[in-house]
Amino acid sequence: MTLLPLSILALAAGITARNVKTTVPLMGWNSYNAYGCDNPGPTEATLKFNAQGLVALGLDKLGYTYVTPDCGWNSNFRDASGQLVWNATRFPSGGKALADYIHGLGLKFGVYSGGGYYQCGSTDLPASLNHESADAATFASWGADSLKYDNCYSTSNTIMVDYTSEGAGSPTRFQTMANAIASTGKDMVFQVCQWGVGQNIGRWASKIADSWRISNDISNNWVSIWRITNEAVPYYKHTTIGAYPDMDMLIVGLNVLSEEEERFHFGMWAINKSPLIIGAPMDATKTSSSSLAILANKEVIAINQDSLSKQAQLVRRHTEEEWDIWAGELSDSRMVVALSNWKNSTTSVAVDLASVLGISSARARDVWAAKDIGTVAGTYRATLQGHQLHILVLSEIAKSTETPKFSGYYTATDAALSGTAAKVDCSSEQCLPAHSKVGNIGQGAAAAAVIFTNVSAATSGKALLGVDFINYDVALESAWSGGTNTRNMTVTVNGGKPKRWAFPISGGDWYETGRLMVEVDGFKAGDSNQVVFRAFGDGTYAPDLVGFEVFEG
């Protein structure tokens, strides 16, 4: 647990138990990815067409029920009573008639606004800052079932995007709208679209919203899948029934990913319990049959919509080999396991079920292949295609009786430091478990190292390290220029070859610890081992280091 800023503590103190309005992640369709805010932007015709498409394609029966016009739906003025007004050219029938039409199809009607002066993508379309009560009442009068609430013009009527000021990251504007929605008496799913600006978003947003955006916008490329996935890692701490981390709208069907990459993208969003919001046209002449089949995969959807609402966790990362292992709880004592191949070439992987997942044996089903594999035990092996996410659902699980041996904990501030590496004292609730950390571990001109000596190992060879780290180098502005939400660090044992790991976001600020389990070779039996941590790459910094634990067996 980290020490929260006073503003967030004050907010939390004022929050009462909220009404859970959705017990599973939201599913639906949103206009933004296909139509943008303008040129052409959303229209009544496109909303009706895509709503009809959801039904005609049978996607509504699978759970895709919310239909939302994103930015660009309203006029640049309020009426005489202060209400938002639909753009009469784009939406000649207005909001109530559109809601009635969508409800008539058996679907839900979503609306869009923001906690700023203007809507995103515009310079004059009013949003809801300082009009929360009036706008919530208006949305309710139209029959809105959900509200996506964006973060543009949060602190200024001239600056659309603000990533840095305290006001842009403050929970207050979103809490105000949450209260306004509650006061209407209308059940309206609240989707906070705050982009991950500020600190401790999961802590406060999970108390007031049904979902909250964890990252900057998804881009129409593969690298944004890696970026957003690395930011999703710590949110399992806050994901629960009625509170879901939003990894942004799906780009499946936009012809920007390969078929395998679309499966990866959809599967990764599903196991992390993100809302599944389609952005492609609901038109079989424009969206490929393979993309529609991915969106309609019942087994992947079932993982996302599982009644436990448990987000999968990153349990192993193999950075140099470019693959990860994810695992999460499912209902009926089942487990989802996903093996992610981040490189665009075939790779063979092996997972020791006992040491990695604590499993002696289980029955396994290959989800994408829709095929029962039978009983798995010992080491599970698979050949992964480039950019493949191999998903298994395990049932009839027998727990392993093997327990890794613990050889001791080593605190970073007790190590020898070189270069720019510096000790940082933390409060009793920060930088757990040591309440201290080493930061400024730089490479290049800022070369630094954290050097541990007299590290114990019971046997020679490989050992498993639980590395406690802190990384809050969030890719906001850098999201558009290759930001990854990772910091890289190497581990060297007894002067051997350094091995690199990409450490994801660890928590809600620069004081919340995450743990990455890594396997390192080169240990010698005894208590005289040297372990050295360094940054990787010129001009880069490693994550802050709290310490590490050594396991064997």
Side-chain angles (χ1 to χ4, degrees):
M1 180 182 295
T2 60
L3 187 64
L4 302 182
L6 290 177
S7 61
I8 295 178
L9 285 171
L11 171 65
I15 293 174
T16 57
R18 63 182 175 83
N19 176 30
V20 173
K21 288 166 281 188
T22 176
T23 59
V24 291
L26 210 67
M27 297 175 65
W29 182 89
N30 180 289
S31 65
Y32 182 78
N33 283 355
Y35 303 98
C37 301
D38 202 2
N39 297 319
T43 67
E44 182 175 322
T46 56
L47 263 291
K48 289 181 176 180
F49 178 83
N50 283 281
Q52 293 166 356
L54 282 177
V55 175
L57 293 167
L59 293 171
D60 61 323
K61 300 297 190 296
L62 302 178
Y64 295 99
T65 55
Y66 286 81
V67 177
T68 304
D70 208 277
C71 50
W73 63 266
N74 59 329
S75 296
N76 62 357
F77 62 91
R78 291 175 178 269
D79 67 15
S81 62
Q83 291 188 335
L84 292 167
V85 177
W86 288 79
N87 182 312
T89 301
R90 292 183 177 181
F91 294 89
S93 301
K96 181 64 167 64
L98 180 59
D100 289 346
Y101 179 85
I102 289 172
H103 288 151
L105 295 174
L107 302 172
K108 304 284 190 180
F109 177 56
V111 292
Y112 167 94
S113 190
Y117 294 95
Y118 300 123
Q119 284 192 8
C120 293
S122 77
T123 58
D124 61 354
L125 301 185
S128 295
L129 184 64
N130 301 323
H131 296 270
E132 291 86 356
S133 293
D135 288 355
T138 298
F139 301 149
S141 73
W142 293 336
D145 302 297
S146 67
L147 169 64
K148 176 182 174 182
Y149 205 57
D150 222 328
N151 201 30
C152 290
Y153 296 100
S154 58
T155 57
S156 166
N157 60 8
T158 59
I159 300 173
M160 185 167 70
V161 176
D162 180 355
Y163 295 131
T164 58
S165 72
E166 183 177 353
S170 171
T172 303
R173 291 171 294 117
F174 298 94
Q175 175 69 76
T176 301
M177 180 52 85
N179 292 342
I181 291 171
S183 70
T184 69
K186 173 81 166 67
D187 270 349
M188 200 181 306
V189 173
F190 188 35
Q191 302 165 270
V192 166
C193 185
Q194 194 261 7
W195 323 324
V197 177
Q199 297 181 353
N200 299 296
I201 295 98
R203 290 186 183 277
W204 63 260
S206 62
K207 303 295 190 299
I208 66 172
D210 302 279
S211 67
W212 65 95
R213 270 280 298 281
I214 65 165
S215 69
N216 211 333
D217 288 5
I218 194 169
S219 300
N220 287 338
N221 53 50
W222 167 253
V223 295
S224 67
I225 307 302
W226 168 248
R227 166 175 59 85
I228 294 171
T229 298
N230 281 305
E231 197 161 357
V233 171
Y235 282 100
Y236 73 89
K237 304 169 190 176
H238 310 292
T239 301
T240 188
I241 294 171
Y244 303 103
D246 185 351
M247 297 170 74
D248 205 1
M249 292 172 284
L250 296 164
I251 57 174
V252 175
L254 297 182
N255 301 315
V256 295
L257 301 176
S258 70
E259 183 176 340
E260 196 67 71
E261 289 168 348
E262 287 194 338
R263 277 192 287 268
F264 187 114
H265 166 35
F266 189 68
M268 186 62 76
W269 266 229
I271 68 172
N272 278 286
K273 300 300 185 286
S274 173
L276 300 178
I277 306 299
I278 299 171
M282 290 294 89
D283 181 349
T285 68
K286 294 182 178 179
T287 300
S288 70
S289 58
S290 63
S291 295
L292 290 171
I294 289 167
L295 294 169
N297 189 290
K298 293 181 180 180
E299 295 192 38
V300 179
I301 291 171
I303 293 169
N304 178 258
Q305 302 283 290
D306 185 77
S307 60
L308 284 187
S309 291
K310 294 282 190 180
Q311 182 182 346
Q313 297 182 43
L314 176 63
V315 295
R316 288 287 193 281
R317 169 155 284 179
H318 303 272
T319 299
E320 293 184 348
E321 298 81 6
E322 298 186 66
W323 68 284
D324 294 338
I325 306 172
W326 296 74
E329 293 180 66
L330 296 175
S331 57
D332 299 322
S333 301
R334 297 172 302 139
M335 176 185 290
V336 59
V337 177
L339 311 180
S340 56
N341 181 15
W342 290 104
K343 65 182 177 182
N344 198 18
S345 59
T346 302
T347 191
S348 296
V349 302
V351 180
D352 185 299
L353 297 176
S355 64
V356 176
L357 301 173
I359 290 173
S360 174
S361 66
R363 290 190 61 81
R365 181 170 176 82
D366 184 331
V367 172
W368 282 116
K371 177 182 178 182
D372 290 324
I373 296 174
T375 300
V376 294
T379 299
Y380 178 77
R381 302 181 187 278
T383 299
L384 307 181
Q385 301 304 308
H387 293 172
Q388 180 184 354
L389 184 69
H390 180 54
I391 303 177
L392 301 174
V393 169
L394 305 184
S395 59
E396 300 178 25
I397 297 170
K399 299 290 187 181
S400 172
T401 58
E402 297 180 21
T403 303
K405 297 176 182 178
F406 169 66
S407 297
Y409 191 87
Y410 299 87
T411 301
T413 50
D414 291 336
L417 308 182
S418 70
T420 57
K423 298 179 181 180
V424 178
D425 291 327
C426 306
S427 77
S428 61
E429 295 183 328
Q430 297 174 332
C431 310
L432 300 178
H435 315 301
S436 63
K437 64 177 181 175
V438 172
N440 210 33
I441 308 169
Q443 187 53 274
V450 185
I451 305 161
F452 296 84
T453 55
N454 301 322
V455 175
S456 296
T459 58
S460 297
K462 294 181 180 180
L464 185 66
L465 307 186
V467 180
D468 292 329
F469 70 98
I470 299 177
N471 173 29
Y472 201 62
D473 193 0
V474 176
L476 290 168
E477 185 66 46
S478 65
W480 318 121
S481 56
T484 65
N485 289 309
T486 64
R487 283 195 170 188
N488 284 263
M489 184 159 60
T490 64
V491 183
T492 305
V493 178
N494 294 324
K497 182 181 178 181
K499 193 169 179 65
R500 176 177 65 93
W501 279 272
F503 287 77
I505 299 299
S506 60
D509 59 19
W510 276 105
Y511 296 94
E512 184 173 359
T513 305
R515 171 167 282 199
L516 191 65
M517 303 297 291
V518 303
E519 190 176 60
V520 188
D521 205 353
F523 283 92
K524 298 176 182 178
D527 58 4
S528 60
N529 291 281
Q530 182 191 71
V531 180
V532 181
F533 293 81
R534 291 187 176 90
F536 177 85
D538 286 346
T540 66
Y541 285 85
D544 293 352
L545 183 62
V546 174
F548 69 95
E549 198 167 18
V550 182
F551 300 91
E552 293 142 358

